[in-house]
Amino acid sequence: MVRMIKFRRKVGGDDMNKKNCLLLLQWLIKCAFSGIIALTVLSVCAYIYNYTGIHITNQSKATDYTWQENQRMHNMKEGFSFIKMDENGFNNPSVPESIDILLMGSSHMEAYQVAQNENCAYLLNEYLSDYTTYNIGISGHTLYRIADNVEFALKEFNPSAFLLIETNTIQLDVEKMKEVINGESESLKSHDSGILFYLQKIPAFKPIYNQLDIWFGLNSSNKRVNTVDNGETSKETVIPESYTETLKEFLDQISEAAFAQGVQPIIFYSPNEILLPDGSILYETNQEYFDIFKEACNSSGIIFIDMTEPFATMYKTDNVLAHGFSNTAVGRGHLNKYGHKEVAKTLVSIILEEEKK
């Protein structure tokens, strides 16, 4: 009898364990199913609201990376646009047979914040019937990356007339310039394979990944330079003695590559503006660094264009700013359609002047 009781208790315990395992399995299946539904709904929303797709390493080194061939981009986060990249992964309606003007720049020229027929490159093609402009502007490609890539870009696309380079800063870092000069600058990386590559195919993945990256990086915010109420740095401007010499050598790397290709280099500076309470605008430009940069461009044979005055005139006459959108802060962020149009008009006038020489 005792053995029978013990045996029954043991069987009862096994049944209970099986039941608990079954309940746990059911709970896991429900969680997985709920997660899949949530991820699907979030992906649909992300695809419509803000979807950039996947970028891959550019084997030609004309840029550090390109978007995938014919990549679609949807944006309602900053501005409103639904565009399709060309077969090279750049923001152009198509790839031309021959190129007269090569346009390089950062996300301002990548311009996925505006419609494709509103960006600077498209407008240049509209305004200049005798020239074909090709745009390889892409996010993250500041002047350092452009200088590092420019020789490869010119060889890859073989422009015949002009090299246009956009920058929204003329105050550069000596060490970063030296890294480019010495061939030690690191390129922007892409996830071309592995689990991160395939996860990017899920539209919801990037927003989640980026937000987590921002969240974990918040502790580094205390490293930012303190500013005073007027927007200027609290410390006086101290320009290193080696700055001018390094800048000249840095810009020479761009001009020498351009002249070797037989094209005229042009750098255009599009400063950010601040809309003040009284309705006036202020441009965040350090005059000392500006003068040094302009002189260095002239010395290197680079045509330098400052968009400050054209932007200010546009605001005065048309009451529109060059940056910002209806769904962002006023005057902040990327170039809007008005900014792109003003840049294009200014570049056209300079190009036509050069054509007469």
Side-chain angles (χ1 to χ4, degrees), residues 251-296:
L251 293 177
D252 279 345
Q253 185 160 317
I254 295 174
S255 62
E256 288 172 3
F259 294 139
Q261 177 67 27
V263 299
Q264 173 61 56
I266 298 175
I267 293 180
F268 59 97
Y269 167 56
S270 58
N272 296 317
E273 64 264 285
I274 297 177
L275 183 64
L276 300 178
D278 62 359
S280 61
I281 51 176
L282 173 69
Y283 290 95
E284 302 174 295
T285 301
N286 184 301
Q287 192 61 45
E288 292 181 66
Y289 278 102
F290 177 88
D291 293 338
I292 292 173
F293 190 90
K294 182 178 180 179
E295 177 57 34

Side-chain angles (χ1 to χ4, degrees), residues 74 98 169 191 229 241 260 301 346:
H74 302 162
S98 61
T169 180
H191 298 291
D229 293 340
E241 294 181 5
T346 303

Side-chain angles (χ1 to χ4, degrees), residues 268-271 283 305-312 339 342-343 346-347:
F268 59 97
Y269 167 56
S270 58
Y283 290 95
I305 300 175
D306 175 23
M307 289 303 303
T308 304
E309 188 59 36
F311 285 167
E342 196 61 33
V343 170
T346 303
L347 288 173

Side-chain angles (χ1 to χ4, degrees), residues 29-46:
I29 291 173
K30 288 180 180 179
C31 286
F33 186 68
S34 300
I36 290 172
I37 293 176
L39 190 61
T40 301
V41 173
L42 183 59
S43 290
V44 171
C45 294

